[in-house]
Amino acid sequence: MNHLSSEAKAMRERIIKWQSPTVDDLRNIRAIEKDCERLLDAILLHCPDNHERSEAIDYLEVLLTWTRKSIIRGNGIDS
């Protein structure tokens, strides 16, 4: 792997050497999940069942995925 650029090495480390979440990480993730749950409930209650609502829910799911990854990675290589 010596032929890789420093950016490529950092990306490889970030993907391959995934950290396990700590108890604090799990608490932080759960707190954000609760906020997102309230937001999802509000979207389902107040937005008509249309394309925009579906898009909002999709974005919320993506937000949760990336938030979890960010919390677990913490102050890792890419920060």
Side-chain angles (χ1 to χ4, degrees), residues 16-64:
I16 299 300
K17 299 204 176 189
W18 184 257
Q19 300 177 36
S20 296
T22 66
V23 172
D24 285 339
D25 291 340
L26 294 173
R27 283 187 191 116
N28 292 335
I29 289 168
R30 188 61 193 135
I32 291 170
E33 287 174 341
K34 292 298 272 179
D35 288 341
C36 287
E37 183 180 337
R38 286 189 288 273
L39 180 56
L40 176 60
D41 289 344
I43 290 168
L44 293 171
L45 181 64
H46 300 292
C47 296
D49 187 6
N50 59 22
H51 178 72
E52 287 84 5
R53 181 173 90 168
S54 295
E55 288 289 316
I57 292 169
D58 288 345
Y59 282 119
L60 184 59
E61 188 172 17
V62 169
L63 171 78
L64 278 169

Side-chain angles (χ1 to χ4, degrees), residues 4 6-20 65-79:
L4 296 175
S6 59
E7 292 85 10
K9 286 178 185 176
M11 178 66 70
R12 184 178 188 283
E13 288 294 309
R14 182 176 152 212
I15 293 169
I16 299 300
K17 299 204 176 189
W18 184 257
Q19 300 177 36
S20 296
T65 298
W66 284 107
T67 300
R68 288 180 189 119
K69 289 179 181 184
S70 176
I71 289 170
I72 292 170
R73 286 187 176 125
N75 294 321
I77 294 168
D78 65 334
S79 60

